[in-house]
């Protein structure tokens, strides 16, 4: 993939019912090169900063409008937000589950962790970023990866948010995609973590919530686990049928409060 074209904008155009539909504040958006062979999408507030930063990890569909909207929302809240393109240009349709199921088994945790490390290095080189105030947030596939990243980079993250990350504490040695559940690495975690789930998510049952809380509590880790009634899987994604405006609003408020509390630089 060649050098991406920079795209600058001062505003976004969310849909009427989007969770990103909030008071317009000026933010910058750009396509960025995070390292050799890795591009991404970034959004940040106007001004020189330095700003706390958040790495945004995608669902299993690529850098969609939803993921760009998450970055813009975080920028409006005062963060530098960057989403590494771990699909390397591929964007899958939400309705194409065959493509998703074909794609997921090809993804390797070590490769994606390397790309998270490249994104951390890119952030460390940005003059607008507060180097000691970096968090990570992920959704679905990215939620699991955010948990894993918080374990593998314990000295570089100060907060982690995982929304409906499946397979974090799956039963057995591997999940249905052959991946090792990252819960076994939780002892390495230093940063506090927030985990959010829809109460009606059929793919992540209460038993998995219990395994996560049991492990994190036994390790004396600092965590919040929230379950949102009247919400299923992907309830935060305004581009998908499962979008639940009420629970999404509550979840965004709580997640942003968590990030502000743990990435406060003053």
């Amino acid at each position: 993939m060649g050098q991406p074209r920079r795209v600058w904008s001062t505003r976004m155009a969310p849909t009427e019912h989007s969770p990103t539909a909030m008071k317009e504040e000026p933010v910058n958006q750009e396509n960025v090169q995070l390292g050799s062979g890795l591009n991404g999408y970034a959004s940040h507030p106007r001004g020189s900063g330095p700003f706390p930063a958040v790495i945004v990890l995608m669902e299993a569909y690529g850098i969609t409008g939803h993921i760009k909207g998450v970055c813009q929302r975080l920028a409006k809240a005062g963060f530098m937000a960057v989403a590494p393109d771990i699909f390397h240009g591929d964007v899958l349709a939400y309705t194409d589950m065959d493509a998703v199921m074909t794609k997921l088994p090809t993804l390797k945790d070590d490769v994606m962790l390397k790309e998270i490390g490249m994104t951390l290095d890119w952030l460390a080189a940005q003059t607008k970023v507060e180097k000691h105030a970096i968090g990570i947030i992920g959704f679905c596939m990215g939620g699991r990866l955010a948990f894993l990243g918080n374990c593998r980079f314990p000295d570089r993250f100060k907060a982690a948010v995982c929304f409906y990350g499946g397979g974090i504490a799956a039963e057995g040695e591997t999940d249905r995609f052959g991946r090792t559940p990252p819960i076994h690495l939780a002892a390495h975690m230093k940063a506090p973590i927030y985990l959010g789930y829809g109460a009606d998510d059929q793919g992540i049952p209460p038993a998995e919530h219990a395994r996560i809380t049991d492990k994190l509590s036994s390790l004396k880790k600092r965590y919040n686990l929230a379950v949102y009634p009247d919400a299923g899987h992907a309830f935060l994604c305004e581009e998908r049928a499962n979008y639940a405006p009420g629970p999404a609003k509550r979840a965004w408020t709580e997640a942003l409060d968590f990030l502000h509390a743990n990435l406060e630089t003053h």
Side-chain angles (χ1 to χ4, degrees):
M1 182 181 295
Q3 176 70 28
R5 178 175 60 90
R6 286 181 178 266
V7 181
W8 293 92
S9 173
T10 58
R11 68 187 303 272
M12 60 180 290
T15 62
E16 179 183 358
H17 302 292
S18 167
T20 56
M22 55 195 301
K23 181 181 177 181
E24 292 293 343
E25 298 293 345
V27 298
N28 287 330
Q29 307 167 46
E30 57 179 323
N31 296 319
V32 294
Q33 187 169 37
L34 302 172
S36 179
L38 181 65
N39 296 324
Y41 173 87
S43 186
H44 58 83
R46 290 288 185 87
S48 59
F51 306 110
V54 181
I55 294 176
V56 179
L57 298 177
M58 64 176 73
E59 303 172 291
Y61 300 94
I63 302 293
T64 61
H66 168 60
I67 294 302
K68 291 180 179 180
V70 169
C71 291
Q72 294 160 9
R73 184 182 187 88
L74 288 167
K76 290 180 181 182
F79 301 99
M80 162 76 85
V82 57
D85 186 2
I86 58 179
F87 273 16
H88 300 277
D90 288 346
V91 179
L92 306 180
Y94 291 117
T95 55
D96 194 350
M97 291 307 298
D98 288 341
V100 171
M101 293 302 169
T102 299
K103 183 78 170 179
L104 283 174
T106 70
L107 303 174
K108 305 302 180 186
D109 284 345
D110 286 346
V111 174
M112 294 188 290
L113 285 167
K114 180 181 178 180
E115 292 178 337
I116 290 174
M118 292 168 68
T119 308
L120 281 165
D121 291 342
W122 182 84
L123 285 170
Q126 305 306 304
T127 58
K128 290 178 179 287
V129 171
E130 172 53 59
K131 309 303 187 291
H132 303 292
I134 298 177
I136 189 168
I137 185 172
F139 305 84
C140 188
M141 176 195 79
R144 174 189 176 276
L145 189 56
F147 188 100
L148 180 56
N150 196 37
C151 297
R152 288 290 186 91
F153 299 97
D155 296 315
R156 302 187 73 175
F157 287 120
K158 299 302 181 184
V161 175
C162 308
F163 277 114
Y164 34 86
I168 288 175
E171 289 187 290
E173 296 183 359
T174 60
D175 66 12
R176 61 183 175 136
F177 298 107
R179 305 173 301 185
T180 301
I183 192 69
H184 77 286
L185 296 172
H188 300 295
M189 227 170 27
K190 294 182 180 179
I193 191 165
Y194 175 99
L195 303 110
Y197 298 96
D200 299 325
D201 190 334
Q202 300 303 307
I204 309 175
E208 182 159 350
H209 306 167
R211 288 192 293 271
I212 293 170
T213 58
D214 181 67
K215 185 67 172 181
L216 295 182
S217 292
S218 68
L219 293 170
K220 298 181 172 59
K221 300 299 181 181
R222 187 153 69 89
Y223 71 92
N224 295 21
L225 191 147
V227 176
Y228 296 92
D230 303 315
H233 192 71
F235 70 94
L236 285 160
C237 181
E238 72 281 3
E239 297 181 335
R240 298 177 67 177
N242 277 3
Y243 175 53
K249 181 178 180 180
R250 291 191 295 273
W252 274 119
T253 297
E254 292 174 11
L256 287 174
D257 286 348
F258 179 87
L259 289 170
H260 278 299
N262 290 291
L263 300 180
E264 181 59 60
T265 58
H266 301 293

